[in-house]
Amino acid sequence: MSHEVVVIEGDGIGREVVPAAVEVLEALPVDFEFVEAEAGDAVEERTGAALPAETYDLAADADATLFGAAGETAADVILPLREAVDSFVNVRPAKAYPGVDAVRPETDVVFLRENTEGVYAGHEDRLSDDLSTLTRVVTSSASRELAEYACEFVEDGRGPSGDPDEGFTVAHKANVMRETDGRFREEVLAVADERGVDADEELMDAFATKLPLDPTQYGVIVCPNLAGDVLSDLAAGLVGGLGLLPSANIGHDNALFEPVHGTAPDIAGEGIANPTAAILSAAMLLEYLGHVEEGQRVRDAVEGVLSDGPRTGDLGGDATTDEVTAAVVDRL
Amino acid sequence: MSHEVVVIEGDGIGREVVPAAVEVLEALPVDFEFVEAEAGDAVEERTGAALPAETYDLAADADATLFGAAGETAADVILPLREAVDSFVNVRPAKAYPGVDAVRPETDVVFLRENTEGVYAGHEDRLSDDLSTLTRVVTSSASRELAEYACEFVEDGRGPSGDPDEGFTVAHKANVMRETDGRFREEVLAVADERGVDADEELMDAFATKLPLDPTQYGVIVCPNLAGDVLSDLAAGLVGGLGLLPSANIGHDNALFEPVHGTAPDIAGEGIANPTAAILSAAMLLEYLGHVEEGQRVRDAVEGVLSDGPRTGDLGGDATTDEVTAAVVDRL
Ligand SMILES: CC(C)[C@H](C(=O)O)[C@@H](O)C(=O)O
Ligand SMILES: CC(C)[C@H](C(=O)O)[C@@H](O)C(=O)O
């Protein structure tokens, strides 16, 4: 069976790291049919649309999509793409690797971020010359769906510790957003309780203090949309930057995989971007499509290269994207 | 001239650290009239109101208020108190001190947090069994008032570097909250431009990655309400926890000073809480009331004690609150 995977390089280093990830996928005994599609600043300049309808439709119909990065148009590309794949959860692991300089080398956490609502639901109004409002949306159904996913994730031993008994932590701001985050918190904790999964909670501001002080307190963290955005980016800072972090936007029968980093305009086009985040996103894609063993092979190869292989400039080395990619392929 | 200062110990270690801060204030040649008032869990249990009307009125009428902490009722106490003093900006310095174990010892930043609106404006609705909404509010007037304050703050050399040319950074999420944070961003940058203050900007998620990677990039950071809450708490994690962080809620002719920490129920009542955050809040109170030199004396004394004086358990020592307070008073 061949998997149809839409490949969207986007802008900047997306054009370098996505081909690297595809090269890794092609080196495995898995049958892919790759379909190239366009999105981002360059397409917008040419066609007026950052995300052409054709790309949206391709992503919506494929088995999975691999996306790189977009520049100024990032939000115009990524938010509709998440919708195209009907994604309800954004999975964001943040793990420090041996040999990589990290503020907190003990960090090993996974954020499960609600991916459809909160402030991202996007109802904004300009009510007067002085006043604008945004309607933040929280539903029980989206909160429960996320929580069901989190419970399965933990039960399947996919948390950092692999131990289902560790449960998860809900991070929220229900002491201020009592009705909306109150609903989120209540539903998530209720689902955990129904399924017998251990769940504790933390206010998102307290979480932001405690994570840098001791990241080993946490494993799987379940959050509303914007909280997940900010707190997972904080974790990225603790593990040494965005160059290592993959992410998965999981939908009902479709998904989108993307490195957490952006287009890195300062180094784009030089062939020196770190392909690790994109390659690890490809590993998540493999696992999503049922190729768990191959996903693990990619992870092991990446970890091997990170600990004693060539490294790109962001990690203090001087290797090119191609050299790092070849080293990963070599170790598969 | 005597200053009328309302003193609200609140719950937990508030009852230990606020008296410590008052002791420091009393040791200075400044004339205070302290008026005690109640707020918090214990009062709520007794009277049904976490913030009695009497306390609200006292805070509203005084020259300044010093508050400790409240437990479960924190939001019911602190949010109305900020309103009582008509506060439009929450000033939150986060500085690592020599001799204190910090994740990022180079951290020295000040957050200027909008203190009246954003998600804290608090219009929430339960629209159906499934759906709740919150109306996030951003006005040009509040954004501009905050920005004017930020410009003065920077011009007066009150930023960490003391150098007005360093300007400030606006942190926001205007790529998603285009109308509301778009308005905030635009107004803040416009005011900076009008006043000739240098201002750059950062998306709040990118800021959360970059601050731990290199805090020396930042000095004064201007944020919407919730962003300021979370990002300043993140900075607290980088300087070694909440035990050191003071804050000021500045109003038009009134203000409220409070340590950033909570009630610390695990150690409350034992006389071993770190009084530093409360004492530094008292230093901010002194400066607010025009006693800049005395404020500096308190800061110097605190820094001296932190670097080679007795320290409480949270900083790896075994001194009591009283011992640390006495050491600070000794050095004044
Ligand atoms: C580009 C932006 C809209 C996006 C988000 O806020 O979700 C990004 O920060 C991310 O986290 O993928
Ligand atoms: C207690 C809570 C309402 C408060 C806030 O969110 O502002 C606290 O976290 C703070 O930062 O002072």
Tab-separated table of all heavy atoms in Angstrom, chain B residues 310-320:
chain	number	residue	atom	x	y	z
B	310	PRO	N	22.471	35.744	55.794
B	310	PRO	CA	21.671	34.545	56.042
B	310	PRO	C	20.637	34.358	54.932
B	310	PRO	O	20.145	35.332	54.366
B	310	PRO	CB	20.974	34.849	57.372
B	310	PRO	CG	20.991	36.342	57.510
B	310	PRO	CD	22.227	36.807	56.793
B	311	ARG	N	20.318	33.106	54.614
B	311	ARG	CA	19.313	32.867	53.582
B	311	ARG	C	18.305	31.803	54.009
B	311	ARG	O	18.621	30.901	54.776
B	311	ARG	CB	19.963	32.513	52.251
B	311	ARG	CG	21.114	31.521	52.344
B	311	ARG	CD	21.700	31.227	50.975
B	311	ARG	NE	22.392	32.380	50.416
B	311	ARG	CZ	22.593	32.581	49.119
B	311	ARG	NH1	22.135	31.698	48.245
B	311	ARG	NH2	23.243	33.632	48.686
B	312	THR	N	17.111	31.940	53.463
B	312	THR	CA	16.039	31.003	53.810
B	312	THR	C	16.168	29.709	52.993
B	312	THR	O	16.966	29.623	52.051
B	312	THR	CB	14.673	31.667	53.527
B	312	THR	OG1	14.739	32.338	52.270
B	312	THR	CG2	14.316	32.653	54.629
B	313	GLY	N	15.367	28.733	53.367
B	313	GLY	CA	15.426	27.398	52.773
B	313	GLY	C	15.308	27.355	51.262
B	313	GLY	O	15.988	26.570	50.597
B	314	ASP	N	14.453	28.204	50.690
B	314	ASP	CA	14.265	28.203	49.236
B	314	ASP	C	15.557	28.563	48.513
B	314	ASP	O	15.738	28.234	47.346
B	314	ASP	CB	13.148	29.179	48.836
B	314	ASP	CG	13.426	30.599	49.322
B	314	ASP	OD1	13.887	30.759	50.466
B	314	ASP	OD2	13.194	31.540	48.549
B	315	LEU	N	16.474	29.233	49.209
B	315	LEU	CA	17.755	29.595	48.597
B	315	LEU	C	18.878	28.719	49.138
B	315	LEU	O	20.059	29.050	49.018
B	315	LEU	CB	18.072	31.072	48.852
B	315	LEU	CG	17.048	32.089	48.317
B	315	LEU	CD1	17.484	33.502	48.648
B	315	LEU	CD2	16.863	31.931	46.804
B	316	GLY	N	18.509	27.606	49.748
B	316	GLY	CA	19.516	26.649	50.193
B	316	GLY	C	20.068	26.934	51.581
B	316	GLY	O	21.008	26.269	52.028
B	317	GLY	N	19.492	27.914	52.290
B	317	GLY	CA	19.973	28.206	53.639
B	317	GLY	C	19.057	27.629	54.699
B	317	GLY	O	18.190	26.811	54.392
B	318	ASP	N	19.261	28.031	55.956
B	318	ASP	CA	18.326	27.574	56.982
B	318	ASP	C	17.936	28.709	57.928
B	318	ASP	O	17.547	28.476	59.066
B	318	ASP	CB	18.891	26.375	57.745
B	318	ASP	CG	20.218	26.702	58.406
B	318	ASP	OD1	20.642	27.877	58.361
B	318	ASP	OD2	20.825	25.786	58.985
B	319	ALA	N	18.036	29.940	57.426
B	319	ALA	CA	17.677	31.083	58.264
B	319	ALA	C	16.158	31.245	58.321
B	319	ALA	O	15.429	30.777	57.447
B	319	ALA	CB	18.314	32.352	57.712
B	320	THR	N	15.703	31.921	59.375
B	320	THR	CA	14.275	32.219	59.496
B	320	THR	C	13.977	33.557	58.802
B	320	THR	O	14.885	34.325	58.480
B	320	THR	CB	13.880	32.366	60.985
B	320	THR	OG1	14.606	33.482	61.524
B	320	THR	CG2	14.228	31.104	61.768
